[in-house]
Amino acid sequence: MNRIQKPKGTLDILPSDIGVWQYIENAVRETARIYGFSEIRMPTFEATELFCRGVGDTTDVVGKEMYTFIDKDGSSLSLRPEGTAGVARSVIENGLYAGAMPLKLFYLSNFFRREKPQAGRSREFWQFGTELYGSSSPEADAQVILLANSLFKKLGLTKVTLRINSIGCPECRPSYRSALLNYFSQYESELCDTCRERLQKNPLRVLDCKSPVCSGIAKNAPKTLEHLCDGCNTHFEKLKSLLDVCGVEYIVDPSIVRGLDYYTGTVFEFTVDSIGAQSTVCGGGRYDGLLASIGGPEMPAVGFGMGITRLIQALKDESLIPDLETGCDIYIAPLGEGASVSAFVLAQKLREGGVAAETDVCGRSLKAQMKYADKAGAGFVLVVGDNEIAEGVAELRDMRGGERVKVELTVESITKAIKG
Ligand code: ATP
Ligand code: MG
């Protein structure tokens, strides 16, 4: 029969890979805790309209990449392509905006985009994201940037570059928008079909188009920083000075505009060149208009999304993945029929006492069991035969090269011997 394969662009994360995921997840949770961000979990699918209004239907993410389906009651639903809109919906729906401010949330979730799969780009992917609501100050921007930076430092990454920019607010955006429109209109016939179509509606999107022709034209486009109002300018200067006093290096990069419509003011990315074309590990910024755009109150917010698979690649490239021991603490090998029940009970008692204990469940020979214990990475092996059971004592072998010691066949004695 034909074998069924996983859908294109999805990942199996196997037990042999899970160590690095858990290592990163632990580092993420610990960093979030230190910065005072609480975890939030959202539905995997939402009303399609949420993403159309929140993220913007002229963006690639919503316009081209979303997995949308019509439910049996006729409503249009979409697998979440990103986290910010879902969190904003939840903040409104659950009245979180009425609580103590700032509201600091994080998520560690999977997202779905129908993109062309390649290194660092899959159709289901994972992000660590943060959302800070209720502060419009540059200190808030700095705090989320510092959080991401702390995580990279904690993981030992040294080749990460922070790039920042400001794309202006509703006050300065219109003048920038018309400057862009003027500029791109000269090249209208050369732009890709998508950009030609969205040029009038949203000329900013041409700036992050991935087609080589559009990105070539975009290189000489007017820069946002030259069109900022006084408020945006002061905000950006203060952010830079906060990063300076915290000793965080950055590049001001006018080419960063981010691909989602909700951004206003500060935008930033962390890039790692070694991981190839998909070099952005983390992207974020301010989205002061988002909550109101989906029916909530006016409330400023800032945050980022960090791609976990790209982060793993960056760790691999710097050889920063620690040796993670995954084997059981002890393997108990029964020798003979009579011993197998005793071994089974002993292993069970050890587990109840918090020791990762394994024993034979396949009726294998001692030799085969020893081979298995070695392969499975057992820390210790205890061979239990009729004699050992009669005497209540057996020899404990340290599989990582230590001495052999005699232990009593009790939970206390074994636990002491293997855990010290
Ligand atoms: P890109 O320009 O690489 O497409 P993006 O601007 O679409 O990224 P965001 O929507 O800001 O990315 O998502 C934040 C982060 O999530 C990205 O910087 C990246 O690390 C990760 N990410 C986004 N899309 C994917 C994907 N398809 N596969 C793996 N990781 C992704
Ligand atoms: Mg993208």
Side-chain angles (χ1 to χ4, degrees):
M1 254 213 274
N2 280 346
R3 287 198 195 162
I4 297 167
Q5 296 186 324
K6 62 180 159 46
K8 192 173 166 188
T10 60
L11 266 74
D12 284 322
I13 303 165
L14 302 176
S16 53
D17 305 324
I18 204 71
V20 64
W21 285 78
Q22 291 173 345
Y23 168 68
I24 289 176
E25 286 161 9
N26 290 340
V28 158
R29 290 181 199 285
E30 177 59 7
T31 309
R33 185 189 69 78
I34 288 171
Y35 280 79
F37 284 67
S38 310
E39 183 170 358
I40 182 166
R41 298 187 188 184
M42 303 85 71
T44 308
F45 52 89
E46 300 265 5
T48 302
E49 192 191 352
L50 171 67
F51 302 115
C52 292
R53 270 162 64 187
V55 180
D57 41 21
T58 56
T59 62
D60 285 354
V61 170
V62 171
K64 297 189 196 169
E65 300 168 358
M66 214 150 62
Y67 284 96
T68 296
F69 60 97
I70 303 299
D71 201 1
K72 288 186 175 152
D73 63 1
S75 53
S76 179
L77 299 172
S78 294
L79 296 185
R80 57 185 176 199
E82 58 93 67
T84 298
V87 172
R89 197 255 326 125
S90 183
V91 164
I92 298 168
E93 193 166 339
N94 297 290
L96 303 185
Y97 57 82
M101 287 294 146
L103 172 64
K104 302 203 275 186
L105 304 169
F106 84 90
Y107 53 80
L108 194 48
S109 320
N110 51 344
F111 297 98
F112 309 86
R113 295 184 192 174
R114 200 174 191 292
E115 302 197 69
K116 188 165 163 246
Q118 51 198 291
R121 195 179 290 291
S122 47
R123 291 181 172 179
E124 179 178 18
F125 61 98
W126 284 259
Q127 274 186 4
F128 161 45
T130 58
E131 317 280 332
L132 187 157
Y133 279 94
S135 167
S136 57
S137 78
E139 281 81 357
D141 307 18
Q143 194 176 97
V144 299
I145 292 174
L146 288 163
L147 188 165
N149 197 59
S150 285
L151 177 62
F152 295 137
K153 272 212 284 204
K154 188 180 179 70
L155 295 170
L157 287 167
T158 58
K159 296 188 180 128
V160 188
T161 308
L162 168 61
R163 297 165 189 279
I164 60 172
N165 190 23
S166 173
I167 57 172
C169 66
E171 195 181 318
C172 43
R173 186 73 67 76
S175 96
Y176 180 58
R177 192 183 177 283
S178 57
L180 268 188
L181 197 55
N182 271 343
Y183 174 81
F184 283 125
S185 296
Q186 304 170 66
Y187 303 96
E188 191 163 349
S189 59
E190 294 166 51
L191 297 175
C192 75
D193 293 349
T194 315
C195 284
R196 223 175 307 126
E197 223 170 87
R198 62 189 171 186
L199 180 60
Q200 296 295 331
K201 244 171 118 182
N202 194 346
L204 212 74
R205 288 284 66 86
V206 185
L207 292 173
D208 57 39
C209 178
K210 301 230 160 55
S211 106
V213 176
C214 298
S215 53
I217 296 171
K219 274 207 177 84
N220 296 317
K223 308 278 181 270
T224 50
L225 290 177
E226 292 155 10
H227 290 260
L228 294 185
C229 62
D230 288 348
C232 284
N233 224 344
T234 312
H235 185 105
F236 194 56
E237 289 305 313
K238 182 71 194 285
L239 170 63
K240 288 194 289 181
S241 74
L242 288 168
L243 295 174
D244 289 336
V245 291
C246 292
V248 175
E249 287 179 25
Y250 56 84
I251 295 172
V252 175
D253 183 344
S255 74
I256 291 184
V257 292
R258 312 292 307 128
L260 315 172
D261 278 356
Y262 47 61
Y263 287 113
T264 49
T266 307
V267 285
F268 60 88
E269 288 186 0
F270 285 89
T271 56
V272 178
D273 289 337
S274 71
I275 63 176
Q278 267 54 257
S279 63
T280 305
V281 175
C282 174
R286 187 162 269 293
Y287 31 91
D288 292 346
L290 175 63
L291 218 61
S293 80
I294 56 167
E298 289 284 342
M299 181 168 281
V302 56
F304 64 72
M306 189 184 291
I308 304 295
T309 45
R310 293 187 196 176
L311 185 57
I312 292 175
Q313 193 54 50
L315 289 179
K316 283 189 180 154
D317 291 345
E318 285 204 51
S319 304
L320 289 169
I321 298 193
D323 262 336
L324 303 154
E325 282 175 6
T326 51
C328 62
D329 296 328
I330 184 168
Y331 182 87
I332 302 173
L335 187 58
E337 189 62 26
S340 80
V341 172
S342 304
F344 194 83
V345 172
L346 184 58
Q348 182 54 23
K349 283 188 181 156
L350 282 164
R351 291 185 194 122
E352 283 168 1
V355 175
E358 281 205 59
T359 187
D360 183 44
V361 289
C362 299
R364 278 192 284 225
S365 70
L366 182 62
K367 196 173 158 206
Q369 290 190 59
M370 294 305 284
K371 223 168 137 184
Y372 170 78
D374 190 38
K375 245 193 184 157
F380 291 86
V381 169
L382 194 67
V383 180
V384 183
D386 291 342
N387 284 348
E388 282 78 9
I389 291 166
E391 287 166 23
V393 175
E395 195 180 69
L396 185 70
R397 301 184 196 178
D398 185 340
M399 301 293 277
R400 298 186 181 120
E403 286 173 17
R404 294 185 176 199
V405 291
K406 294 257 183 219
V407 288
E408 284 173 38
L409 295 183
T410 61
V411 170
E412 296 71 32
S413 171
I414 295 171
T415 308
K416 193 160 170 243
I418 67 177
K419 297 216 160 159

